[in-house]
Amino acid sequence: MPKKTGLTKGGTLRYDMMPLSPIARVTKVAISKRGGTIELPIWGQALKDELRAHFRDMRTLECEAFCEHTANEGSYVETDPDTKDRYGIPVVKMTIGILESNVKQARYMGERGAELFHAMGADEIRHGITGGMSWVLQHGTARFGKDPKSSVLDPNCRSHDVKNLYVVDGSFMPTSGGVPTTLTIMANALRVGAHMREAFVKKEL
Ligand SMILES: Cc1cc2nc3c(=O)[nH]c(=O)nc-3n(C[C@H](O)[C@H](O)[C@H](O)COP(=O)(O)OP(=O)(O)OC[C@H]3O[C@@H](n4cnc5c(N)ncnc54)[C@H](O)[C@@H]3O)c2cc1C
């Protein structure tokens, strides 16, 4: 990461052909307007015209930037005092705080991603930040670590507090680190599974 940016970390850029599925494309066309940034949704004839041009006249490449959402005091999970599920148990309420440094990082990555399209001589380049956060890559709600004061799980993803409870979803990672993490989640689940087997054989479970 160049020093002059003031950023400590970058992220991952993924280049791709846009998916052929019309529905996937409609959602992108419907929230985009020509001229660079994401604007208001478009509807009716304007949407039809955009879609017609999109499928008939254009070839589109996309770039997705994955950046880190650093753990911060404004991001936490609690039980909702007002809403209960059908069993009468309070539902989970998530509050998400975004650090300005993460937004800067996302903007920086978006601009770098667009540079390739400029170099390729693209006719039209649009980029934007989807609210500065993602709702599809969650981490950190049960992070792992050696110290029970600062972590929920031990290094083998076993709960510090609840005997024989293991957690192997994405929550064990404090953050994504700036990459899509599904393969890491799967690899970790296999690692924890091997540990559980070993512990079971030793009668430690
Ligand atoms: C549209 C979209 C695109 C994505 N694209 C990518 C990508 O390109 N690359 C990438 O790496 N990641 C991608 N992700 C993220 C990826 O899907 C998640 O990071 C990953 O699935 C998280 O795994 P997990 O095991 O933590 O949770 P999940 O996969 O959500 O698994 C949780 C499971 O628990 C079950 N469950 C929930 N409540 C209960 C309950 N009370 N009792 C029993 N079971 C329960 C759910 O049904 C679910 O099967 C994408 C996600 C979305 C939504």
Side-chain angles (χ1 to χ4, degrees), residues 14 66 135-139 168-171 180-183 185:
R14 183 188 65 84
F66 294 89
W135 40 268
V136 302
L137 292 163
Q138 309 93 339
H139 310 91
V168 288
D169 66 356
S171 62
T181 52
T182 303
L183 294 178
I185 295 169

Side-chain angles (χ1 to χ4, degrees), residues 115-136:
E115 273 173 9
L116 183 98
F117 299 130
H118 283 291
M120 288 169 71
D123 295 323
E124 186 188 327
I125 302 169
R126 308 169 185 181
H127 65 88
I129 309 175
T130 49
M133 65 174 175
S134 161
W135 40 268
V136 302

Side-chain angles (χ1 to χ4, degrees), residues 139-153:
H139 310 91
T141 43
R143 65 177 170 186
F144 70 163
K146 289 182 184 157
D147 185 353
K149 287 197 194 116
S150 57
S151 56
V152 177
L153 309 171

